[in-house]
């Protein structure tokens, strides 16, 4: 499967390094366009809230005023969170609200949508307070002006 992510690798002790730009940016809360730039099929081990299940790990490139920002988001393939799966596929235009859909994970890379980004606060191993961005929800595509003005039922009489 094609993957547009930057090539990541382990360095050897004698490798040459050159990329000194910081890649981490904390975005302000808000609505942002995104593009799916990576996808991995993984397995979630389970927790008190959700049993073991398949997990889609997505890399989303967020289009922000600060430039492109990469964010990792996990979607769990379980009926407890089916609404979150529906929202993702609706956001990227593969599903219309209320319709059934067979999930096509092999074609999510390159798809775009909009999402609401929030800030998550957490405590690291050294008891320091940290912040990171998270996807709060995936948003439906905007309704086109033509769809807004069409009469109910599509009839003019």
């Amino acid at each position: 499967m094609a993957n547009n992510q930057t090539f990541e690798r382990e360095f050897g002790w004698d490798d040459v390094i050159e990329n000194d730009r910081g890649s981490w940016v904390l975005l302000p809360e808000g609505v942002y366009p995104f593009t799916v730039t990576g996808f991995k099929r993984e397995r979630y081990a389970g927790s008190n809230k959700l049993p073991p299940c398949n997990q889609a790990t997505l890399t989303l490139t967020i289009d922000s005023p600060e430039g492109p920002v990469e964010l990792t988001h996990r979607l769990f393939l379980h009926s407890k969170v089916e609404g979150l799966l529906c929202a993702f596929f609706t956001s990227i235009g593969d599903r219309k609200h209320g319709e059934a859909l067979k999930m096509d994970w092999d074609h999510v890379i390159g798809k775009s949508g909009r999402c609401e980004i929030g800030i998550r606060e957490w405590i690291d191993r050294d008891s320091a307070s940290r912040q990171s961005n998270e996807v709060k929800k995936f948003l439906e595509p905007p309704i086109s002006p033509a769809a807004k003005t069409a009469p109910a039922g599509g009839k003019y009489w």
Side-chain angles (χ1 to χ4, degrees), residues 24-40:
W24 189 82
V25 173
L26 184 65
L27 296 172
E29 292 182 333
V31 173
Y32 295 89
F34 70 87
T35 301
V36 180
T37 54
F39 163 68
K40 290 184 203 171

Side-chain angles (χ1 to χ4, degrees), residues 91-121:
S91 179
I92 63 172
D94 282 4
R95 176 184 178 274
K96 288 190 167 100
H97 184 71
E99 291 184 351
L101 170 81
K102 180 180 178 188
M103 297 179 290
D104 188 0
W105 294 103
D106 291 332
H107 293 98
V108 298
I109 293 179
K111 298 282 180 102
S112 297
R114 293 179 317 126
C115 64
E116 183 180 322
I117 298 290
I119 296 176
R120 180 174 84 80
E121 296 189 20

Side-chain angles (χ1 to χ4, degrees), residues 41-106:
R41 294 174 191 263
E42 296 183 324
R43 186 81 184 153
Y44 177 62
S47 68
N48 291 338
K49 295 181 179 181
L50 192 66
C53 60
N54 290 325
Q55 169 185 301
T57 302
L58 303 169
T59 302
L60 306 176
T61 299
I62 308 297
D63 184 15
S64 77
E66 292 81 5
V69 175
E70 281 194 357
L71 185 67
T72 300
H73 184 73
R74 299 181 305 165
L75 287 171
F76 303 102
L77 280 67
H78 194 277
S79 59
K80 281 187 165 186
V81 291
E82 186 174 359
L84 300 174
L85 293 165
C86 287
F88 169 71
F89 281 101
T90 300
S91 179
I92 63 172
D94 282 4
R95 176 184 178 274
K96 288 190 167 100
H97 184 71
E99 291 184 351
L101 170 81
K102 180 180 178 188
M103 297 179 290
D104 188 0
W105 294 103
D106 291 332

